[in-house]
Amino acid sequence: MELSQEEKRRLSKRYTNSLEAYDLYLRAWEEIWRFNEDARRNAQSILMRALRIDPEFALAKALLATTYTNRAGVALLDNEQVLEQGYRIALEAIEIDPDLPQVHTSLGLVHMFRREYAEAEAAFKRAIQLDPNNADGYGLQGWNSHYAGNPQAGWDAFQYALRLNPRAPFPYLNAMSEIQFSQRNYEKSLELGLEALERNPEALRVRLFLAATYMGLERIEDASWEIEEALLLQPELRMHDIPFIAPYRKPEEMEHLTGLLRRAGLPE
């Protein structure tokens, strides 16, 4: 739904005195959740423009941190350095406005991809304390619980998030598909993954989890095709990138994913 200029003006006053900066933030928000490299770069460029207008725009700074987290989450190079940048920017956002839930969810995502699960949990809990109706906070808390080794807790958190936000945006479908995959519920994972893919055909991580899910169902041709599609999105992708995409705590969970992707044909 498009916001009117008056609606934008009212919302922007909570975060920045510049309607132009807030407009740029909204554009970046649309881009970032497409989960591909072109969209991530676009979002980053747009947010830097917003922050040149208002350097104290904490909401834009938090989303900028997430652009760096997403860079690791789509398996590009130099992930440790990228996550360090995201961590630094998220802390800057918290310093500007520690009462903004989004700055804490941004920090939590960095912690999750760095496998700092307890710190991620604390950040997501803080976001929820600040806004008990923050559906994204519950969802991200669930995603972190899943990677920390408790997929059922992750699934339960998403069920609660969906009560707050019943429209199930793309990131929810993506994460819920991953949770079902980890629970070896391949049919349910496939259903959710295909729904996520329909929303966002260029999301690399969805393609990879679909490939592994198809392989788990012994649908070898479908799995191989998803790997081909993933390599079209990112030709340099290799097996050693997968731990950056899926920050599992338990080695056996990582082996489950990588074993299926190897069988599906992802290059070493």
Side-chain angles (χ1 to χ4, degrees):
M1 184 178 67
E2 283 288 320
L3 294 174
S4 69
Q5 284 298 103
E6 183 55 35
E7 286 170 326
K8 286 181 184 177
R9 192 170 289 108
R10 282 202 311 272
L11 282 170
S12 70
K13 284 181 180 177
R14 295 170 55 191
Y15 307 112
T16 175
N17 291 323
S18 169
L19 183 58
E20 183 184 358
Y22 188 72
D23 223 8
L24 289 166
Y25 165 80
L26 292 177
R27 284 176 54 195
W29 178 263
E30 290 294 320
E31 287 288 314
I32 193 173
W33 296 118
R34 286 167 51 204
F35 270 109
N36 66 68
E37 177 59 2
D38 286 345
R40 186 196 69 80
R41 286 181 183 276
N42 287 343
Q44 203 167 72
S45 173
I46 292 166
L47 288 164
M48 287 175 175
R49 284 170 58 196
L51 287 164
R52 281 195 291 273
I53 295 168
D54 181 359
E56 298 297 297
F57 188 3
L59 197 62
K61 198 171 275 282
L63 194 60
L64 181 62
T66 300
T67 68
Y68 287 96
T69 310
N70 278 12
R71 186 172 190 260
V74 296
L76 292 170
L77 304 176
D78 305 319
N79 288 290
E80 291 93 342
Q81 295 94 315
V82 167
L83 288 172
E84 184 59 36
Q85 285 176 289
Y87 178 67
R88 176 179 52 77
I89 295 167
L91 289 180
E92 289 173 2
I94 287 174
E95 190 173 338
I96 293 168
D97 189 348
D99 294 328
L100 197 61
Q102 293 92 329
V103 300
H104 296 281
T105 55
S106 177
L107 179 63
L109 266 176
V110 178
H111 282 307
M112 188 189 86
F113 276 99
R114 295 198 337 177
R115 291 180 168 78
E116 297 163 351
Y117 310 103
E119 291 87 343
E121 172 75 9
F124 296 136
K125 275 188 174 177
R126 181 59 184 148
I128 292 165
Q129 285 171 352
L130 289 166
D131 177 8
N133 294 315
N134 185 344
D136 292 350
Y138 288 103
L140 289 169
Q141 187 180 43
W143 206 23
N144 180 63
S145 295
H146 156 237
Y147 277 116
N150 192 341
Q152 187 56 53
W155 183 257
D156 293 343
F158 270 104
Q159 298 315 294
Y160 190 77
L162 286 169
R163 287 203 288 275
L164 296 171
N165 183 8
R167 296 180 67 181
F170 163 77
Y172 289 27
L173 295 168
N174 167 70
M176 289 162 66
S177 176
E178 293 177 12
I179 291 170
Q180 290 297 315
F181 170 81
S182 297
Q183 293 181 303
R184 280 54 165 180
N185 296 330
Y186 297 131
E187 292 286 359
K188 185 63 177 176
S189 177
L190 180 62
E191 176 192 329
L192 291 163
L194 289 174
E195 192 177 346
L197 189 68
E198 191 175 328
R199 304 269 187 95
N200 185 358
E202 296 181 345
L204 178 68
R205 63 183 303 121
V206 176
R207 293 280 183 190
L208 290 170
F209 272 91
L210 278 173
T213 299
Y214 278 128
M215 205 67 236
L217 293 165
E218 296 299 328
R219 292 174 57 174
I220 297 168
E221 287 186 13
D222 290 324
S224 298
W225 188 81
E226 291 295 348
I227 292 294
E228 289 173 16
E229 291 296 303
L231 290 170
L232 285 174
L233 290 169
Q234 192 170 311
E236 70 274 25
L237 182 68
R238 295 296 181 267
M239 286 297 306
H240 60 72
D241 294 310
I242 299 306
F244 291 107
I245 286 185
Y248 285 110
R249 175 188 293 219
K250 295 181 178 179
E252 60 268 29
E253 294 302 325
M254 182 60 68
E255 288 163 14
H256 170 227
L257 176 60
T258 55
L260 290 168
L261 288 174
R262 188 173 283 112
R263 287 180 58 207
L266 185 64
E268 292 292 338

